[in-house]
Amino acid sequence: MFEYFPGNYVWNLSVVATLNSGGQIDEVDRACRPLRDVATTNEDVGTEDFLKAWTGLVDQLVTQAEEQETAGRTTSADRTYFRALDYLIHAERMQSNSSTERLATYRRCLELAENSFRLAHPNVSRVEVPFRDTTLPAYFSKAPATAEGPAPVMIMFNGLDSTKEHMFVSGHPAELAERGISTLMVDTPGTGEALRLQGLTSQIDSEEWAAACVDYLLTRDDVRADRIGLVGWSLGGYYAPRAAAFEKRLALVVAWGANHNWGAVQRRRKEREGERPVPHYWEHVQWVWGYEGEILEDFLDFADGVHLDGVVEKISVPFLIAHGENDRQIPVEYAHRSFDQAVNSPKRELRIFTREEGGAEHIGLDHFPYVSTFIADWVADTFGELDGKG
C-alpha cells in the first residue's frame, strides 16, 4: 500500500482511499506535506490539523468550482466539486465524534454531493428509506438500463466509519451502472447521516435494515423485484451476510472483506494486535454501537455477539467473499471461515487478492478499482446466471 506517512497506517488509509476515489496526487501532496511531522507522533494526535489542511484545499476547489459553474463550464465544475467531496469526506472520518468541527464538516459534504449530482450525475439522487418511525438516508444510482424497463439493483451497506458519500466517490455504483445494475447506497444505523444527524446506532440484527431497503425498492417501478442483491464492505462484511441469512428476498450477497467475527477482532485490538481503521478508535466504536461513556469491558462483552458462526449456514443465495491476503485489520482466516460455513449457498466463491496482483490490503484499498471491478463483474455475471444467461 502507498504509505505517504511512514508508520501511520490509519492516516495512510485516508490518503490511499482518497487517491483511489479520484483524488489527484499533487492536490493530496499539497494538503498533506505540512502534516508529515505531526503524523509521526500518534494516530490520534493531529487529526484536527489534518482536517484544517484538507479543508483549506477544499475551500480552494469550491472557489474554482463556483467560478467554473458561473462560466458555464459545468463538466469542469462537477469534477472539481467531486474532488472536494472526496477530500472532505475522508478528512471527516478522521475526526473524533466529540470534535466541534465534525458535524459542520459532514453537512458540507452533503452539500458538495448534491452539487455534483446536480451538475453531472442526474442518475444519482437522494432518497429516504422508511425505517421504524424515521428513515434511512440514501442515494439511489439509476442504471441507464432502466430506460428499457426495471433493472437489477444492489444495496450497499457501510462499514464502521464510512458513509454513503464514500460509496458515491468510490466509483463502485458507476461500475454497476455500466453493467445494467442500479445501486442503493444506504447510511445504515451506526453510519453516516443516520448516526450523525439522527442518532441511530448500530445493532447485531442487520436484517432489519435489509428488510427496510427491500421494502422501499419494491415500491419503485425501475427495480426488478427478483434481482435485489446486497454488498457490504469492511464491517459491512458482517452486516451483509447476516442480513442475507435471514432476509430471503435478496437474490445474492457479497462480503467485501470477511468480517466473520468482529467481536474477536475487538479483543485483539484491545491487545494492540492488528491495525485499527480510524483514530480515536474506542471512542468511535462505542459511539457507533450506542455504548458512549460505558465501561470498555461491558462493550467488549456485547461485541462478542457480533459474529457469523451459526449464521452463514443460513445463506441460501449466491455468496461472494472478497478479501485481501495482507488485510492488517481483519485476518484472512475469517474469509476461509465464512466460506467453509456457507454450505447452503448454491454458489459460494472465495476470492483472495494477493500482494503480487494488488488488492491485498483491507477491502483492497491498495488497488481499489481492481477489486471493485471484480465484484461488479461477479454481481453482473451472477444476476445473468439467475436469468439463465450464464
Side-chain angles (χ1 to χ4, degrees), residues 1 8-15 17 43-44 47 90 93-95 159-162 166 234-235 259 262 265-266 269 272-282 284-285 288 327-330 362-363 365:
M1 185 171 74
N8 194 327
Y9 173 84
V10 176
W11 285 38
N12 288 328
L13 280 184
S14 280
V15 172
E43 64 195 33
D44 294 344
T47 54
H90 284 99
R93 69 174 285 280
M94 295 274 287
Q95 304 309 302
L160 178 72
D161 52 271
S162 58
H166 288 105
S234 195
L235 183 51
N259 226 318
W262 191 79
V265 170
Q266 304 320 295
R269 286 177 180 167
R272 296 301 300 190
E273 297 177 12
E275 296 287 358
R276 304 176 180 187
V278 289
H280 319 286
Y281 181 73
W282 293 113
H284 184 88
V285 293
V288 164
D327 190 328
R328 288 180 264 178
Q329 295 184 43
I330 309 297
H362 185 61
I363 67 168
L365 282 173

Side-chain angles (χ1 to χ4, degrees), residues 249-329:
R249 292 175 293 176
L250 295 168
L252 58 81
V253 64
V254 180
W256 194 334
N259 226 318
H260 188 95
N261 194 329
W262 191 79
V265 170
Q266 304 320 295
R267 297 287 181 182
R268 293 166 62 109
R269 286 177 180 167
K270 184 173 180 287
E271 303 304 320
R272 296 301 300 190
E273 297 177 12
E275 296 287 358
R276 304 176 180 187
V278 289
H280 319 286
Y281 181 73
W282 293 113
E283 178 185 340
H284 184 88
V285 293
Q286 290 183 255
W287 176 43
V288 164
W289 290 95
Y291 273 75
E292 278 186 282
E294 300 291 332
I295 296 171
L296 179 58
E297 284 302 323
D298 290 343
F299 170 72
L300 292 173
D301 289 342
F302 161 79
D304 287 338
V306 185
H307 64 80
L308 295 172
D309 290 329
V311 173
V312 289
E313 292 91 336
K314 296 179 173 65
I315 294 175
S316 53
V317 294
F319 181 26
L320 171 66
I321 303 154
H323 203 88
E325 177 185 56
N326 193 46
D327 190 328
R328 288 180 264 178
Q329 295 184 43

Side-chain angles (χ1 to χ4, degrees), residues 5 26 45 50 103 119 140 159 182 240 263 270 274 284 286 308 319 376:
F5 301 109
D26 52 328
V45 175
F50 191 99
L103 190 56
L119 289 172
F140 189 81
S182 299
K270 184 173 180 287
H284 184 88
Q286 290 183 255
L308 295 172
F319 181 26

Side-chain angles (χ1 to χ4, degrees), residues 157-171:
F157 279 178
N158 282 312
L160 178 72
D161 52 271
S162 58
T163 68
K164 63 188 183 303
E165 291 73 39
H166 288 105
M167 296 177 186
F168 171 62
V169 300
S170 76

Side-chain angles (χ1 to χ4, degrees), residues 85-261:
L85 171 61
D86 181 21
Y87 300 144
L88 197 60
I89 197 62
H90 284 99
E92 190 271 351
R93 69 174 285 280
M94 295 274 287
Q95 304 309 302
S96 162
N97 70 296
S98 59
S99 167
T100 57
E101 301 296 324
R102 184 163 201 172
L103 190 56
T105 299
Y106 184 68
R107 289 186 186 275
R108 191 180 188 191
C109 288
L110 296 177
E111 294 173 1
L112 291 170
E114 290 296 335
N115 283 338
S116 189
F117 301 163
R118 173 176 55 82
L119 289 172
H121 300 275
N123 62 312
V124 182
S125 60
R126 179 186 175 87
V127 299
E128 304 286 343
V129 175
F131 178 72
R132 297 179 185 168
D133 59 352
T134 182
T135 59
L136 300 178
Y139 297 142
F140 189 81
S141 167
K142 182 185 292 190
T146 57
E148 302 174 4
V153 62
M154 287 296 291
I155 303 165
M156 284 192 75
F157 279 178
N158 282 312
L160 178 72
D161 52 271
S162 58
T163 68
K164 63 188 183 303
E165 291 73 39
H166 288 105
M167 296 177 186
F168 171 62
V169 300
S170 76
H172 190 66
E175 292 285 351
L176 290 170
E178 290 177 358
R179 292 161 175 79
I181 302 164
S182 299
T183 307
L184 181 68
M185 300 162 259
V186 189
D187 277 340
T188 55
T191 71
E193 194 174 341
L195 176 65
R196 288 156 178 75
L197 303 186
Q198 297 173 233
L200 295 174
T201 55
S202 192
Q203 63 192 60
I204 287 175
D205 49 339
S206 57
E207 61 269 23
E208 184 183 7
W209 317 333
C213 292
V214 173
D215 288 343
Y216 163 75
L217 290 170
L218 292 179
T219 68
R220 299 184 61 110
D221 59 11
D222 54 3
V223 168
R224 280 191 61 179
D226 60 342
R227 294 294 178 264
I228 299 173
L230 173 61
V231 56
W233 60 27
S234 195
L235 183 51
Y238 162 79
Y239 294 141
R242 163 81 198 202
F246 298 102
E247 175 46 73
K248 296 301 182 180
R249 292 175 293 176
L250 295 168
L252 58 81
V253 64
V254 180
W256 194 334
N259 226 318
H260 188 95
N261 194 329

